[in-house]
Amino acid sequence: SPTPLPKNGTIEGSLSYPSEFIPEEMEVCAENQNTKEVHCTSKHIQNPKYTYGVGYTLEVPAGTFLVYAQLPGDDYQAHYSEFVTCGLSVDCPSHEPIPVEIKAGETVSNIDAVDWYK
């Protein structure tokens, strides 16, 4: 029988926090822009490939998502935004979140939800 096709894709990126450490309870969430369904993970991955040695992976159904990090119960969020793709520089004028399109079976990397500065 044929192997079923994957329905989900994966978002991956680095974590950061405006402090000396990254809180263990911090979670990364992806909100589907059509359904408003939110998928989150609080599992942190220790790996030198990530900017500060800490990252995440999040499996989501195919769709378009806004990705953000937050502490549970807190409204303060860090988005994957134009500020991130511009280099987190004071010269970057926009903090507009960037929609991330995920296709089934695909991994999209470098989705760093690290814009805590808006």
Side-chain angles (χ1 to χ4, degrees), residues 5-112:
L5 294 172
K7 294 183 177 132
N8 294 340
T10 303
I11 303 169
E12 174 186 43
S14 297
L15 297 176
S16 78
Y17 192 72
S19 177
E20 303 274 318
F21 64 96
I22 296 173
E24 288 182 24
E25 67 273 19
M26 187 169 71
E27 61 186 5
V28 177
C29 300
E31 180 182 350
N32 185 299
Q33 292 304 279
N34 294 322
T35 66
K36 300 304 179 196
E37 187 176 8
V38 177
H39 304 269
C40 298
T41 182
S42 57
K43 182 178 180 196
H44 298 184
I45 300 167
Q46 306 289 326
N47 189 311
K49 76 177 184 177
Y50 298 116
T51 305
Y52 298 103
V54 182
Y56 74 95
T57 61
L58 178 60
E59 190 174 299
V60 295
T64 302
F65 296 85
L66 291 182
V67 180
Y68 58 91
Q70 68 180 8
L71 295 177
D74 193 344
D75 292 335
Y76 186 47
Q77 298 176 338
H79 282 90
Y80 171 65
S81 69
E82 291 178 8
F83 187 69
V84 174
T85 60
C86 177
L88 304 174
S89 165
V90 293
D91 298 327
C92 301
S94 176
H95 293 272
E96 190 66 33
I98 298 173
V100 178
E101 185 179 346
I102 303 300
K103 296 181 175 127
E106 175 180 83
T107 296
V108 178
S109 298
N110 300 315
I111 307 302
D112 303 342

